[in-house]
Amino acid sequence: MAQEADFKCLRCGTITKLPYSPDAELQERACPKCKSNSMRRIKEQKEARAAK
Ligand SMILES: [Zn+2]
């Protein structure tokens, strides 16, 4: 069962939605713009809000 998550490219700053599966945390993802695989998942706002 695939879900989607927002990913941000650490190289060019592009934010894109990509399929995300909790079982494959180390899955490689390539930026659609610069082809870098330095994509980091953006956590949802509600998590940041819960902090302290
Ligand atoms: Zn990029």
Side-chain angles (χ1 to χ4, degrees), residues 33-51:
K33 213 168 204 176
C34 72
K35 308 298 182 190
S36 167
N37 61 1
S38 301
M39 301 292 286
R40 173 157 290 181
R41 188 163 76 95
I42 300 172
K43 291 189 177 180
E44 291 177 30
Q45 290 294 322
K46 58 187 177 185
E47 281 188 48
R49 206 174 179 185

Side-chain angles (χ1 to χ4, degrees), residues 10-42:
L10 298 181
R11 179 167 289 184
C12 73
T14 294
I15 297 175
T16 188
K17 270 201 191 307
L18 292 172
Y20 166 75
S21 58
D23 294 337
E25 193 62 59
L26 297 178
Q27 181 181 350
E28 282 196 3
R29 302 170 184 89
C31 173
K33 213 168 204 176
C34 72
K35 308 298 182 190
S36 167
N37 61 1
S38 301
M39 301 292 286
R40 173 157 290 181
R41 188 163 76 95
I42 300 172

